[in-house]
Amino acid sequence: MSLFLEPRLTLRPTPADTQPLPARRGWLEVICGSMFSGKTEELIRRLTRARIARQRVEIFKPALDTRYHEQDVVSHNQTSIRSTPIQFASDVLLLGANCDVVGIDEAQFFDSALPDVCNQLADRGIRVICAGLDMDFAGRPFGPMPALLAVAEFVTKVHAVCVRCGDPAAYSFRLTASAERVLLGETDSYEARCRACFLEGQAEKAALD
């Protein structure tokens, strides 16, 4: 279990000969890992702490993700928090403009504009926290996640437990034969696996083709 120490908010001086800068520094945090690794649970934990601190918080998720609830962000262990479903990453710029903290779940499902959107929010002094799969079912970098990881000030990679051998798992192994990159599912469609067990499963699939 990785330990994340939340950065302290500090004041930034405003130069007299320039445009006023945000009163607080913004930054980008990314929580990544495989399915069943606790990404959403960690996102909810950080956002809940921000609300306890009386900060203005808004949470967004892709509208296509309705596995547990149409509006709530829900972790696999049923921890939930109210969110706003959106179609496009650019929607966050308008809906999250007056927040102290913006949370974004399932970041891998958003369009390629998401890294730029997060940078713009951070430049305005907003703390942005994204959570998402860093790899798809084939072990390839997923959607805008690589770009988010590159520009984030803070990155937390969480691991699941391999259901085959018990080692730390970083891969989401798809149990079905579907080749669609986006296939919403739970334990009926995916398993968390370590590298060795993931490769073994991929080889078994290839032998059946």
Side-chain angles (χ1 to χ4, degrees):
M1 177 69 68
S2 58
L3 177 63
F4 177 82
L5 299 178
E6 297 184 16
R8 297 181 62 185
L9 299 176
T10 56
L11 295 178
R12 171 190 270 179
T14 302
D17 58 347
T18 62
Q19 293 294 323
L21 295 174
R24 290 173 313 167
R25 296 181 187 274
W27 61 76
L28 171 60
E29 304 165 26
V30 176
I31 306 162
C32 66
S34 69
M35 293 187 68
F36 316 114
S37 61
K39 301 180 303 299
T40 299
E41 186 176 358
E42 174 62 14
L43 173 67
I44 293 173
R45 185 190 73 83
R46 296 184 192 182
L47 295 174
T48 299
R49 285 174 59 85
R51 282 183 167 170
I52 292 172
R54 300 181 184 277
Q55 296 177 334
R56 295 167 297 177
V57 177
E58 286 290 344
I59 307 100
F60 303 95
K61 74 171 189 174
L64 64 85
D65 185 10
T66 58
R67 285 172 293 178
Y68 290 117
H69 197 277
E70 289 188 1
Q71 288 186 311
D72 290 1
V73 166
V74 184
S75 69
H76 293 296
N77 68 0
Q78 301 303 308
T79 304
S80 65
I81 192 169
R82 181 65 67 177
S83 70
T84 301
I86 56 174
Q87 292 283 350
F88 306 103
S90 57
D91 295 339
V92 181
L93 289 175
L94 176 62
L95 298 174
N98 297 317
C99 300
D100 300 309
V101 183
V102 166
I104 301 172
D105 195 32
E106 302 293 354
Q108 75 278 355
F109 290 145
F110 282 104
D111 53 80
S112 59
L114 184 60
D116 182 60
V117 167
C118 291
N119 270 330
Q120 289 187 52
L121 293 172
D123 290 348
R124 296 176 188 174
I126 297 173
R127 176 187 177 192
V128 184
I129 314 172
C130 294
L133 294 168
D134 48 2
M135 293 184 288
D136 64 11
F137 75 99
R140 301 169 299 196
F142 205 163
M145 289 299 290
L148 285 171
L149 291 166
V151 299
E153 282 89 343
F154 305 98
V155 174
T156 302
K157 178 145 184 170
V158 290
H159 294 80
V161 176
C162 178
V163 299
R164 295 304 174 105
C165 71
D167 281 352
Y171 292 84
S172 304
F173 181 76
R174 183 177 289 174
L175 299 171
T176 66
S178 173
E180 294 290 329
R181 193 171 202 194
V182 177
L183 177 67
L184 298 178
E186 292 301 319
T187 54
D188 59 330
S189 303
Y190 295 94
E191 287 182 345
R193 293 195 182 188
C194 67
R195 181 185 293 269
C197 293
F198 175 79
L199 292 175
E200 180 181 336
Q202 293 290 78
E204 291 172 355
K205 276 187 175 182
L208 296 175
D209 291 341

